Structure formats: structure tokens, C-alpha cells
Amino acid sequence: MIRIRDLCFTWPGSQTPCLSQLAFDVSRGERLFLHGESGAGKSTLLNLIGGVMLPERGEIDVLGQSLSQLSARARDRFRGDHAGFIFQQFNLIPYLSVLDNVLLPCRFSTERARRTGGSPTAEARRLLAALDMDPQLAHHPATSLSVGQQQRVSAARALIGRPELILADEPTSALDPQRQAVFIELLMSEVAASGGTLVFVSHDQRLAHLFDRCIELLAP
Amino acid sequence: MKTLLPLALASAWNRRLSLALTVFSITLAVTLLIAVTRVRDAAQTGFAQAVAGVDLVVGPRGSPMQLLLHAVFHLGDATHTMRWQSYRTLATDPQVAWSIPLALGDSHRGFPVLGTTPEYFRHLRYGQQHPLGFSSGQPFSGLFEAVVGAEIAARLGYRLGELITLHHGTVHLDELQDKHRYGAEHTDKPFRIVGILSPTATPVDRTIHVSLASLEAIHLNWQGGLPLPGLDIPPQLATKFDLTPKTLDAVLIGLHQRTDVLRAQRQIANFTGEPLMAILPSLIMDELWQLVGSVERSLHGLAWLVVGVGLAGMAAVIIAGLGERRRELAILRSVGAGPWHIVALVMLEGGTLTAAGLLTGLGFVEGAGYLFAPWVNARLSLDLATNAFSADELRLIAGILATGLLTSLLPGWRASRMSLADGLIPRL
Ligand SMILES: Nc1ncnc2c1ncn2[C@@H]1O[C@H](COP(=O)(O)OP(=O)(O)OP(=O)(O)O)[C@@H](O)[C@H]1O
Ligand SMILES: [Mg+2]
């Protein structure tokens, strides 16, 4: 699913490399827990896997496709077609309704829209319900939601159109411990239902036991 | 595009308060530009309409421009005159369909007095070949009768039957401010208004028309611009004199065949009696417009500059707002938007703001036109609707829109640079 070899990356304007000599694989359907201290480069790694940035050296293959061999445009399309992202917070576009936020990937990727089985809106509603959201909220503005609700909406957005890869960057750090577990459980069951692969980034090691495998990213 | 437009609109709507002011400034700029263009076009059309149907203007040999200004706009003094006899010869030429003799020199409250024949009302055309019409009364037929243009009647509040007196000599612009510098007055022979013309949007609206014989009559006891002391000729005695004028300022000519115009022009240039010339008024009018045009062009340039300021303000407001939108852009990138999507999104926003400003600006111009058109028409003899939504104006509108889109290329480029540097997780 993901194959990383000899990966090095340095942010422009920085002397020390952010990632160096990184190598690991993620297999299909796996649920990977990626942890490491703050500044270790976890978010940077997600940027690279998503094809938003290119490695300075080394290889990243996603779904058997080497990202550095794709044009910038093709990488954007590849990301839209095959990856869903959940961020730490402020995941939603404030001027769109809950439903429109969930439907956003289908606007940019016809592949994702196609894979909803014909009706993206119905699929969005189904996902929202599966993630325990009140159906009445669908047309509310995204800004009217609580943080926990926002995270569930962004999980629905990441899952719509069954992308092969779900990349979550500390999606639970803004939630209280009780809600963290509930959220992760919901997320995992939906990822399993869609047959996707989950890469979950967090610095909270207490969550590690919920996942298949755990990789620690060391600060260089 | 289909994906991005609703996003751009929703995003702009979300920031409507700060954007509304930008749209307002674009509105004002667009209003100015379109209004200036419409007034320019109206003036130009009005200009060209002033000589519709006249094939040749004949006068003493000299500057063609001066002859045109004098004969058509009644501006300036004639340095030379032509003989009445020459006019009679021209008028009987078989090529000539009609001819109108013109004598200028007097004025009334700043408006030129034109001595002519009733032919004037029959043959003169304005605009799209409209004949002159009377809003009341009829052409002059006897001595001391006057027909006034629409603007004079409106401004001075003249009605039929009212008596007016003429001043000797033309009035220059600086004298308009200074009543005491008018020429001597022909108080002894007042004129009765027998006709008021309909508006034409040409110099006719600002002219007082009297017969050539009346002009002769009021100058019977004058010599060298002053009344002869002790010599008084009462109006009723004037008919006892020969009132055929000796000189004219110009003659307007219409030919049977327009195609003969160059031949006729050459013949008049070789006229044997005295040195004459004939000009093609539309040709000289174009030249004149080129002269007047420099003022118009700088005004137009200024209006474009104001549009530029409005659009630059829009770019600045969009750029200033980008900081708060870094998360929004990162989210869009995470769902598959590339840097070009970001550029397009911001340009769509700029285009939408420009279009909104354009529409409201056009609304303002149309509304103002609707409210003030009758007034402008009556006071300034301008028909503002002549070029509304013409091909030229549509081109202008497209030009403004294109400029708006081009201007928003700058914030668009800035936004895409920002989102490239930020990646998926902007650090604040
Ligand atoms: N957009 C950026 N431009 C330049 N440098 C960056 C950028 N984002 C991150 N960095 C640098 O890269 C390093 C790794 O940052 P990154 O955000 O990947 O860490 P992280 O492991 O996700 O940390 P955290 O757990 O706090 O989120 C940091 O030193 C940071 O300064
Ligand atoms: Mg991070």
C-alpha cells in the first residue's frame, strides 16, 4: 500500500533535515499508529505521502505508484482520488454547510463521486449517521458544530468515496479522553467497512494499543 | 470551473462585509467610466448630426475650419463675407437642389442671431435625416419676426408673441459674464417670436432665426457698428427701403446628386466673381472632433485610471484576506485541489466582484440616465441613450471584466504560493 525507502526531506530555509533515511511499509487494510515527539516530522511525512511535497531524496510509492514520477497536477489528482485527510482541528470550511463539507472530495474527484455508488449526497448522509451525527445538522453551517462534531464530519469527508488511504493527523488531540476512544472506534469501524488503510498520527502513546502496528518517528 | 464557482461565491459571501466596500468602489469607478463614455459618444453623435444632409458649405475663401465653426456652430467672427450676387448665381446652378444663405453678426442674450430664408426650415436636417419641427408657431414670414431654438425657449422661458431685442455684434464667451460689454442694442426695432423649434440636439437649439431682410432693416440707420446720431427710421418705414442684403457669411448647399459633390466643390473653388471655397462639412467635422477629442481622451484616460484604482483596491483587499484563509486553502488542497485551482478560485472571486461592481455601476448609469435624460436633453442638447449597450459599450464592459480578472491574477498567484509553502498543515 505504502512503500517508503531512504526518505529524506528538509524544509526550505532550514539547515537540519526534518526527515532522514526513513524506511517502512504499510500493507493494505493495515491500521498504523505513527507516533513521535513534537517536531519529529509526523505532519511533514503526511504531506509527503499525500504528494503535496516531494522528497529531497528517496522513494515513496503509494498503491504501487511512485509519487515522484507523477507531475504536480497528477499528484494532486492522485491525492484527491485515493486519500482522505483528517487534521487536528479547524478541519471544516466555515462557509459551507456540514453536508457540503462532506461532499467536498466528490467535487474535485469524479472517481470518489463515482465510488459513492451513484448518489454522493445519500452516501454523505449515511456516513454522517454512521458516525453518530444528528441528521438535522446536515444543513447547518460548519461553524455551528462542537469540536467533537467537527472531527466526526471531517472523518465522514475523509471516508466518502472509499479512498484507499485515510491519513489522520492527531484527530483526537482536541477531544477529551472518553470521546477520543469513541471517535477512534467509530473511525476504525468505518475504515474497515470501506476496506481502507489507516495511518493515524499522534503523540499520545496511550492510544497505541488500539492499532495493528506502531511506528515511532524519531526526531533527527 | 463548475466546481470552483459555487465555492468562490460562498467564500466571498462569507466575507461580504469587507468585500462590499470594494464592490462599491468598483461601482463608482465603472459608473464614472461608462458615464464619461456615454457623454462622449452622445457629444460625438450630436456633433455629426449638426450637419446631416448638408452637402457643401460655401463661404469666402479662407480657413475651412473657421468657415465650419462660423456657419454650423455660429462661433467666431467672419473676417470676410461673400456677395449676395454670388449666392444667387450658386442657387440657380442646375446641380444645386437647394441653398440656404446665412448671415450672422447679431446676438440676443448670448445666443447667436442667424439671418436666413424660410428655406432653412424646409431643407435643414438633423440626426437621422429628421426635418426641423416646430413645437409651436411657424416659420417667420414678415419683418421683425423671430423663430427661436428649443434651448433658448426653455432657458429664457420664451413663449409665442413675446418681444425680444437684438444686440449688435456677436458675443464672446468672456462677455457672457459681463452684461455691460454687450454690443449696442437695437431697442428701436424689437422682434416678435412667431415660432419655437423642437429640440434637435444641435446648434439649432441655441440659435435665433430671423429673415435676412429683418437684419438689413435693423441696420438701416447704422454705420460701422454704431447707430447714426439723429437718424431714426421707425419699423413701419423700413419696408420703404430695399432690404436685399449686400453680403452673406455662408451658404449651405444640398445637391441633387450627392456623387457630384467633389465636382461641385471644384467648380466653386474656381468661381469667377470672387474668391470662394466649398467644404465638405462631415470631413471638417471629423477634423474638428480630433481637436476636441484630446480633452475627451484625457477624461477617458482619467476614468480608466479610477477603474484601475478600484481594481487595485480589490486586489489589496483579497490579498489582505488571504491570511485568514490559509486553513481553507489547505483543506481544498487535501481534497485534491492543485495550485491552479487556488489561482482560479481567487480569480473567480475577483471576477465576481468586478462583475458585481459592473452591474451596479451600469444600474447607476441607467438609473441616472432615466432620471436626468430629459433634463440633459433639454439643457445640453445631448441624447445620452444614443450609444447605450452598443457594440462599443459591450466591448468596454468586457474590457473592464478582463482587467478585473487580470488584476486578480496577482492575489491568485499569491494565494497559490502561500498554499504551496503551507502544505496541508498551515502553521499560524
Ligand atoms: N511549512 C513549514 N515550513 C517550514 N518548516 C516547517 C513547516 N512545517 C513544519 N516545519 C518544520 O518541520 C519540522 C517538523 O514539523 P512537523 O509539523 O512535521 O512536526 P510534527 O511531528 O507534526 O509535530 P507536532 O507533533 O507538533 O505536530 C519542524 O521543525 C518544523 O519547524
Ligand atoms: Mg503535526
Side-chain angles (χ1 to χ4, degrees):
Chain A
M1 186 76 207
I2 304 176
R3 182 173 166 278
I4 292 175
R5 288 293 174 274
D6 194 23
L7 182 68
C8 295
F9 183 82
T10 311
W11 280 98
S14 150
Q15 273 94 44
T16 52
C18 176
L19 299 168
S20 68
Q21 301 293 324
L22 190 65
F24 66 88
D25 292 291
V26 185
S27 49
R28 183 172 295 261
E30 195 173 11
R31 293 171 298 183
L32 179 71
F33 186 74
L34 193 67
H35 70 101
E37 62 190 67
S38 185
K42 304 182 295 291
S43 301
T44 306
L45 182 59
L46 291 192
N47 269 320
L48 289 164
I49 296 174
V52 176
M53 307 189 166
L54 280 181
E56 191 184 317
R57 207 142 37 77
E59 275 290 311
I60 304 179
D61 293 1
V62 178
L63 291 162
Q65 170 69 55
S66 165
L67 292 184
S68 41
Q69 260 149 43
L70 293 175
S71 68
R73 211 192 160 106
R75 272 183 280 127
D76 290 328
R77 185 165 308 146
F78 192 79
R79 174 174 68 250
D81 286 347
H82 304 292
F85 286 86
I86 310 169
F87 302 111
Q88 186 171 0
Q89 54 179 336
F90 311 120
N91 262 299
L92 304 182
I93 292 191
Y95 51 80
L96 293 182
S97 72
V98 167
L99 195 64
D100 284 335
N101 263 288
V102 177
L103 287 170
L104 209 51
C106 299
R107 280 183 192 257
F108 285 90
S109 161
T110 45
E111 175 66 16
R112 298 266 295 267
R114 192 182 60 76
R115 279 197 253 159
T116 56
S119 169
T121 314
E123 173 66 0
R125 289 185 190 278
R126 187 194 70 74
L127 276 167
L128 284 171
L131 287 161
D132 213 14
M133 288 287 293
D134 184 348
Q136 301 230 300
L137 291 173
H139 293 288
H140 281 228
T143 43
S144 67
L145 301 183
S146 75
V147 178
Q149 286 170 325
Q150 285 180 31
Q151 292 307 80
R152 277 178 279 157
V153 172
S154 57
R157 184 177 65 205
L159 287 160
I160 196 166
R162 287 186 279 115
E164 288 86 344
L165 200 55
I166 307 290
L167 300 162
D169 192 359
E170 313 205 33
T172 55
S173 59
L175 306 178
D176 54 70
Q178 204 182 339
R179 294 197 159 265
Q180 282 182 354
V182 175
F183 177 81
I184 291 173
E185 244 162 66
L186 276 174
L187 180 64
M188 284 206 187
S189 66
E190 281 312 306
V191 171
S194 74
T197 306
L198 176 67
V199 176
F200 190 101
V201 169
S202 176
H203 52 244
D204 188 354
Q205 290 211 44
R206 284 172 302 170
L207 302 171
H209 69 277
L210 296 166
F211 294 81
D212 300 338
R213 191 151 68 98
C214 176
I215 292 181
E216 181 170 12
L217 205 58
L218 295 172
Chain B
M1 192 62 61
K2 209 169 78 233
T3 336
L4 292 176
L5 188 61
L7 280 180
L9 291 180
S11 173
W13 183 248
N14 190 43
R15 285 168 288 124
R16 56 189 172 278
L17 267 180
S18 66
L19 296 183
L21 281 174
T22 310
V23 170
F24 186 63
S25 75
I26 296 175
T27 298
L28 292 185
V30 165
T31 307
L32 181 69
L33 181 58
I34 293 183
V36 163
T37 312
R38 280 197 187 176
V39 169
R40 189 259 323 253
D41 290 345
Q44 191 169 12
T45 318
F47 223 62
Q49 285 179 348
V51 285
V54 176
D55 291 324
L56 287 169
V57 179
V58 180
R61 201 171 293 165
S63 145
M65 186 71 75
Q66 254 173 30
L67 176 60
L68 182 92
L69 286 175
H70 198 57
V72 177
F73 295 96
H74 315 319
L75 292 173
D77 289 310
T79 39
H80 303 287
T81 53
M82 60 186 280
R83 283 192 221 116
W84 171 257
Q85 200 44 52
S86 308
Y87 157 66
R88 289 311 313 156
T89 315
L90 286 174
T92 50
D93 188 295
Q95 298 174 82
V96 173
W98 49 264
S99 57
I100 303 169
L102 305 177
L104 288 142
D106 282 6
S107 63
H108 171 72
R109 294 180 67 176
F111 293 101
V113 172
L114 177 69
T116 184
T117 58
E119 302 280 291
Y120 184 92
F121 305 105
R122 210 169 308 138
H123 295 299
L124 206 69
R125 295 284 182 273
Y126 71 95
Q128 257 55 49
Q129 300 293 329
H130 294 298
L132 293 179
F134 281 81
S135 62
S136 59
Q138 65 213 31
F140 52 75
S141 50
L143 279 182
F144 310 120
E145 291 184 345
V147 171
V148 300
E151 185 183 334
I152 297 177
R155 270 219 229 173
L156 304 180
Y158 285 161
R159 309 263 189 79
L160 288 186
E162 215 156 316
L163 292 179
I164 58 174
T165 54
L166 308 188
H167 289 275
H168 191 73
T170 50
V171 172
H172 296 280
L173 283 179
D174 56 336
E175 288 169 85
L176 285 177
Q177 270 90 47
D178 183 359
K179 286 200 167 82
H180 306 292
R181 289 185 55 202
Y182 281 145
E185 211 171 345
H186 297 285
T187 38
D188 58 331
K189 299 185 185 70
F191 280 68
R192 196 163 51 82
I193 296 176
V194 297
I196 295 171
L197 294 167
S198 313
T200 63
T202 69
V204 170
D205 296 354
R206 293 180 290 273
T207 304
I208 293 161
H209 309 83
V210 301
S211 68
L212 288 165
S214 310
L215 278 189
E216 277 305 304
I218 57 174
H219 293 108
L220 277 175
N221 51 341
W222 283 52
Q223 203 156 55
L226 283 172
L228 293 170
L231 183 58
D232 230 10
I233 301 171
Q236 43 298 359
L237 276 183
T239 41
K240 302 264 188 279
F241 294 80
D242 174 20
L243 294 177
T244 311
K246 275 124 215 110
T247 62
L248 292 172
D249 288 287
V251 179
L252 306 180
I253 284 181
L255 299 174
H256 287 295
Q257 294 286 328
R258 282 212 103 159
T259 43
D260 289 339
V261 71
L262 290 177
R263 192 148 55 94
Q265 185 185 28
R266 228 172 309 115
Q267 282 173 7
I268 293 167
N270 298 327
F271 192 77
T272 41
E274 61 176 328
L276 291 183
M277 75 176 167
I279 58 170
L280 274 63
S282 52
L283 225 66
I284 309 297
M285 209 64 127
D286 280 349
E287 251 176 65
L288 186 59
W289 182 254
Q290 294 300 317
L291 284 175
V292 180
S294 69
V295 176
E296 168 270 311
R297 274 191 295 277
S298 38
L299 207 66
H300 207 238
L302 211 65
W304 262 111
L305 217 65
V306 173
V307 170
V309 170
L311 293 177
M314 172 186 82
V317 167
I318 298 180
I319 288 180
L322 285 180
E324 293 170 36
R325 300 171 67 192
R326 290 169 72 171
R327 282 249 38 118
E328 175 190 330
L329 299 181
I331 292 166
L332 292 177
R333 294 224 54 201
S334 82
V335 297
W340 280 109
H341 283 112
I342 305 292
V343 175
L345 188 76
V346 174
M347 282 183 74
L348 276 173
E349 176 175 325
T352 306
L353 297 182
T354 312
L358 257 173
L359 283 181
T360 40
L362 274 172
F364 275 14
V365 173
E366 283 288 303
Y370 183 76
L371 285 179
F372 299 118
W375 185 87
V376 170
N377 217 325
R379 284 291 165 107
L380 303 172
S381 300
L382 286 180
D383 183 7
L384 288 181
T386 34
N387 280 44
F389 300 109
S390 62
D392 276 343
E393 190 168 292
L394 294 181
R395 252 196 301 278
L396 178 72
I397 291 170
I400 296 173
L401 200 58
T403 314
L405 281 172
L406 221 61
T407 313
S408 34
L409 204 56
L410 181 69
W413 175 77
R414 178 103 182 81
S416 86
R417 289 304 305 262
M418 229 169 71
S419 83
L420 276 176
D422 279 349
L424 297 177
I425 301 107
R427 302 176 308 163
L428 299 172

